[in-house]
């Protein structure tokens, strides 16, 4: 039992099911009333389907299990054969259970989706007297403890019902695992009755394909067939054209064939599609402790670790003994097993060593171009395939093992065509990056102009002829004579911060606002999604519950970000202080503008301490000074700021939108080219020779927009140390 995966649940705030006849008994795998149909075989319960999947090589045993009228009988019939379960059963069982639940939802949509939604956002828990893997055991009248894997899968499915379209959930793809068979036939796509694919599947069940994952090729649309594609092709053509290429001039290949791989769809007729075991050999060269440390990142691929840490507060914490670290040579493909499905994979142009927990693959054919595979393996399509091939209980434990990477089938163009693809994509990517950098510089200039307007307004007011006095605040100078200079904490009627042990995180409940969520002026609820239980909520916030309008200030990592609370029922994590301003002294919105201004931020930096991450101690807070104009004047200043900054905000939003669309377009363009949806051979032949860039084309960080080397990448350094 992995203690890190144990969860504690409160019965009163959770949806707990035990018996199938109870209110939420339909969530149980043992529940009747949810019939299934797979490979033309009628199956009464998801439990029977799950048990049958133990024995893909024993179709007679599968039939014996499926024909039972009771789910418990079906389970009991499987017991005598458990020793003959598929060899990877304990690695594959969670994936198989997730797939069974998806089938149950797709083929019983109305009843099962409604049941899932009735649980609201409460934790779902299967109570069990002896099984704390799939469920949780009661330890007293209120508390249950266990891994609760089934409950967590149901919560995952509930989230899918809330966020994904019904149509996408009515069709379930087969699992990308070896020997996924039922009744002697590979399991194909499972569709709801009446859906677009249901009839076709029943008329033409899947046929065995030696060496391929079962299931037909997907109908992946080309870039220009995407109905939801919002980007302006005019902007893209301006970004990457150079009198020699227009994206809209690209055409598909003349002939295609079915790749027999879901993630690829159709590929050009003359391309090969081969398993990775034929393309790559795994290498484990160790005992190179003196080589430079490399990191495998989500956003950049393989980079020097020192480059990754240059502008980060995090330090190199890799093991001093690096004898077990693996050598990576130029041309090698390396990936992070735990994050391959997120894009942590790439071809190396560097020589160095990486974590012993990572995987290094070397191309067998010296004529193949690693850059082609670098582009291919960093597409969303491959990320999805890597996810399907990964094993683990939850997403934070999924691992793409070398043997499963080798089972993936990869498109292989001729080597001269690989070169044309790489040449075209490098050209397009360089020009898109240049265009994005120009937009980012514009955003930075607009932000500086906006900051200057705000700083002038909150430190001098609106009257240019006002009498001034020394402020007594370093780096601030003179301020209006009638303004007060106050200790910032004394302008609040209430101040609270979280003290004590880190609270137990839960799957759902009260949203926990951490320092990661707080930006400069707003709360980013997507930056970190953590929750605490409703039961623990009052204890955590025992010094006062947050209200809308309260000011939040981060005291470390990062120091000095601030925002106003904009929703009810949030809890605050460590390193976040809450202030409820005294409305007779300081308007909350004015306080926010002042706290984010240079004069206040400078005070924070001057009083901050720490070697790895700069932070400010609570004892230093009373030393922070803030300017307090009369309240009526504060409101007039805020009105002035809004009037002057609104056009700037619109321009910033528009520029950021263009950047997002270009990034989205670049992703789709790369995917279409490397998977053979667009023919770039002629376009690549017309490209001019590249000239040396006058400045680096790495995308830069702008206010409110993290650089592409974000927290996920620096977190990889910690993972390498822990491996």
């Amino acid at each position: 039992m992995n203690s890190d995966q144990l969860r504690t649940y409160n019965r009163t705030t959770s949806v707990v099911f035990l018996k199938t006849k109870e209110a939420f008994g339909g969530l149980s795998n043992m529940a009747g009333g949810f019939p299934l149909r797979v490979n033309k075989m009628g199956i009464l319960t998801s439990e029977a389907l799950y048990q049958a999947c133990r024995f893909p090589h024993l179709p007679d045993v599968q039939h014996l299990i499926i024909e039972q009228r009771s789910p418990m009988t079906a389970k009991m019939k499987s017991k005598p054969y458990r020793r003959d379960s598929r060899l990877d059963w304990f690695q594959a069982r969670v994936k198989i259970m997730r797939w069974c639940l998806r089938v149950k939802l797709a083929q019983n949509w109305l009843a099962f989706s409604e049941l899932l939604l009735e649980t609201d956002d409460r934790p779902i828990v299967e109570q069990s007297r002896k099984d704390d893997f799939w469920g949780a055991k009661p330890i007293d009248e209120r508390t249950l403890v266990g891994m609760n894997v089934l409950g967590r899968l149901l919560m995952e499915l509930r989230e899918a019902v809330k966020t994904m379209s019904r149509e996408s959930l009515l069709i379930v793809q087969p699992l990308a695992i070896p020997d996924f068979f039922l009744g002697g036939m590979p399991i194909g796509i499972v569709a709801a009755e009446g859906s677009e694919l249901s009839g076709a599947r029943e008329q033409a069940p899947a046929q065995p394909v030696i060496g391929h994952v079962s299931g037909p090729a997907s109908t992946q649309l080309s870039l220009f067939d995407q109905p939801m594609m919002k980007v302006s092709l005019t902007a893209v053509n301006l970004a990457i054209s150079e009198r020699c290429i227009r994206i809209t001039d690209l055409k598909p290949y003349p002939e295609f064939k079915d790749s027999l791989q879901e993630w690829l769809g159709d590929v050009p007729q003359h391309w090969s599609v081969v398993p990775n075991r034929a393309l790559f050999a795994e290498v484990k060269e160790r005992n190179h402790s003196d080589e430079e440390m490399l990191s495998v990142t989500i956003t950049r691929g393989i980079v020097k670790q020192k480059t990754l840490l240059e502008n980060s507060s995090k330090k190199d914490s890799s093991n001093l003994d690096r004898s077990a670290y693996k050598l990576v040579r130029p041309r090698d493909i390396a990936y992070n097993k735990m994050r391959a499905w997120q894009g942590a994979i790439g071809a190396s142009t560097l020589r160095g060593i990486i974590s012993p927990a990572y995987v290094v693959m070397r191309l067998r054919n010296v004529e193949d171009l690693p850059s082609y595979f670098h582009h291919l393996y960093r597409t969303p399509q491959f990320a999805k395939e890597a996810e399907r091939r990964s094993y683990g209980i939850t997403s934070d434990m999924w691992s793409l093992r070398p043997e499963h990477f080798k089972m993936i089938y990869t498109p292989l163009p001729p080597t001269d065509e690989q070169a044309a693809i790489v040449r075209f994509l490098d050209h397009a990517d360089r020009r898109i990056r240049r265009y994005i950098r120009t937009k980012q510089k514009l955003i930075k200039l607009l932000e500086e102009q906006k900051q200057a307007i705000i700083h002038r307004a909150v430190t001098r007011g609106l009257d240019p002829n006002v009498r001034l006095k020394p402020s007594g605040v370093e780096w601030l100078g003179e301020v209006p004579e009638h303004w007060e200079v106050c200790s910032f904490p004394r302008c609040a009627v209430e101040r609270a911060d979280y003290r004590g042990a880190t609270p137990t995180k839960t799957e759902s409940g009260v949203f926990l606002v951490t320092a990661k969520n707080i930006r400069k002026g707003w709360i980013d609820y997507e930056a970190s999604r953590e929750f605490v239980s409703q039961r623990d909520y009052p204890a955590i916030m025992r010094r006062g519950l947050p209200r809308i309008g309260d000011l939040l200030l981060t005291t470390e990592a990062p120091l000095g970000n601030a925002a106003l609370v904009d929703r009810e029922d949030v809890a605050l994590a460590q390193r976040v202080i809450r202030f409820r301003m005294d409305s007779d002294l300081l308007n909350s919105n004015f306080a926010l503008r002042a706290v984010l201004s240079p004069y206040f931020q400078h005070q924070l930096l001057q009083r901050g301490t720490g070697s790895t991450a700069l932070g400010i101690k609570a004892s230093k807070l009373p030393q922070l000074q803030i300017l307090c104009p009369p309240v009526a004047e504060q409101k007039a200043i805020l009105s002035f700021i809004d009037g002057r900054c609104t056009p700037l905000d619109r321009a910033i939003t528009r520029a950021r939108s263009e950047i997002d669309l270009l990034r989205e377009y670049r992703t789709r363009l790369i995917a279409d080219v490397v998977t053979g949806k667009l023919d770039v051979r002629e376009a690549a032949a017309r490209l001019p020779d590249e000239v040396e860039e006058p400045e680096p084309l790495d995308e830069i960080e702008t206010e409110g927009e993290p650089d592409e080397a974000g927290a996920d990448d620096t977190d990889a350094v910690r993972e390498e140390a822990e491996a």
Side-chain angles (χ1 to χ4, degrees), residues 1 92 113 117-118 154 187 314 370 396 443 451 479 517 609 613:
M1 173 66 64
S113 65
L117 293 176
E118 284 179 6
L154 288 166
I187 296 176
K314 298 185 180 181
D396 58 350
I443 291 172
Q451 190 61 252
V479 298
N517 295 109
T609 57

Side-chain angles (χ1 to χ4, degrees), residues 275-562:
N276 280 347
R277 62 177 175 270
L279 290 173
F280 298 97
E282 185 182 5
V283 289
K284 300 178 181 178
E285 297 183 60
R286 306 184 191 274
N287 296 310
H288 291 272
S289 302
D290 295 334
E291 297 282 353
E292 185 167 24
M293 279 292 299
L294 305 178
S295 289
V296 184
T297 70
I298 293 172
T299 59
R300 299 186 189 181
I302 299 174
V303 299
K304 296 179 181 180
Q305 189 181 99
K306 65 181 182 182
T307 301
L308 190 64
L309 294 173
E310 275 177 357
N311 298 315
S312 169
S313 60
K314 298 185 180 181
K315 304 298 180 184
D316 177 6
S317 55
S318 54
N319 297 330
L320 292 177
D321 179 9
R322 297 176 177 174
S323 59
Y325 281 58
K326 296 178 182 177
L327 180 67
V328 176
R329 299 175 183 269
R331 290 181 50 85
D332 287 348
I333 301 287
Y335 70 86
N336 179 335
K337 287 191 296 186
M338 303 292 286
R339 292 188 173 209
W341 63 277
Q342 294 177 302
I345 183 171
S348 183
T349 59
L350 306 167
R351 178 187 171 100
I353 54 175
I354 60 170
S355 164
Y358 291 4
V359 177
V360 182
M361 294 287 179
R362 188 161 295 161
L363 282 164
R364 296 181 184 274
N365 185 351
V366 295
E367 294 183 357
D368 284 330
L369 297 185
S371 299
Y372 167 76
F373 299 98
H374 176 86
H375 287 302
L376 177 69
Y377 292 153
R378 294 175 62 76
T379 61
Q381 289 89 334
F382 179 81
K384 189 66 176 177
E385 180 68 5
E387 178 183 344
R388 280 160 49 84
R389 296 279 186 177
S390 299
Y391 286 91
I393 296 174
T394 57
S395 60
D396 58 350
M397 296 183 65
W398 288 343
S399 176
L400 179 62
R401 299 170 186 169
E403 60 268 28
H404 298 137
F405 174 84
K406 292 177 181 179
M407 292 169 57
I408 296 174
Y409 275 67
T410 288
L412 185 64
T415 52
D416 60 339
E417 201 165 335
Q418 293 178 33
I421 288 171
V422 170
R423 179 175 171 81
F424 173 84
L425 290 179
D426 285 349
H427 175 92
D429 182 63
R430 182 177 292 272
R431 276 144 188 81
I432 289 176
R433 284 184 181 275
R434 181 185 295 144
Y435 191 84
I436 288 175
R437 186 177 179 87
T438 300
K439 289 292 181 181
Q440 288 176 321
K441 287 181 176 178
L442 172 63
I443 291 172
K444 193 170 185 179
L445 289 173
L446 292 171
E447 290 284 3
E448 290 173 357
Q449 184 178 352
K450 178 180 168 184
Q451 190 61 252
I453 292 170
I454 294 172
H455 180 68
R456 173 77 182 187
V458 299
T459 59
R460 288 294 181 91
L462 306 181
D463 183 0
N465 301 314
V466 68
R467 292 172 62 90
L468 302 176
K469 67 178 180 182
S471 66
V473 179
E474 191 177 7
W475 295 98
L476 182 54
E478 295 183 320
V479 298
E481 189 177 51
H482 63 290
W483 287 18
E484 293 186 51
V485 181
C486 304
S487 168
F488 175 62
R490 292 180 183 175
C491 295
V493 295
E494 189 172 293
R495 166 186 154 192
D497 57 337
Y498 173 74
R499 299 175 185 272
T502 301
T504 301
K505 308 293 174 53
T506 58
E507 299 291 341
S508 59
V510 180
F511 192 97
L512 186 67
V513 177
T514 69
K516 290 181 180 179
N517 295 109
I518 301 175
R519 304 296 191 185
K520 292 187 176 180
W522 57 289
I523 300 175
D524 182 357
Y525 291 99
E526 298 301 321
S528 173
R529 294 187 60 81
E530 297 182 357
F531 300 88
V532 295
S533 72
Q534 194 75 38
R535 178 194 63 188
D536 295 338
Y537 176 51
I540 292 171
M541 300 309 301
R542 61 186 178 275
R543 299 190 64 183
L545 302 179
R547 293 181 190 168
I548 292 177
D550 285 356
L551 186 139
L552 306 180
L553 177 68
T554 59
T555 59
E556 182 184 340
L559 172 63
N561 281 359

Side-chain angles (χ1 to χ4, degrees), residues 603-656:
Q603 295 180 76
L604 286 170
L605 294 176
Q606 288 291 93
R607 290 161 178 79
T609 57
S611 57
T612 58
L614 195 63
I616 188 169
K617 297 178 180 179
S619 60
K620 299 284 188 180
L621 291 176
Q623 299 177 20
L624 300 175
Q625 303 293 307
I626 194 167
L627 298 177
C628 296
V631 173
E633 192 171 346
Q634 293 177 34
K635 294 179 179 179
I637 291 171
L638 288 172
S639 179
F640 169 81
I641 290 173
D642 288 342
R644 292 289 300 274
C645 292
T646 296
L648 300 177
D649 287 333
R650 289 173 181 163
I652 291 169
T653 299
R654 185 165 57 251
R656 285 181 177 154

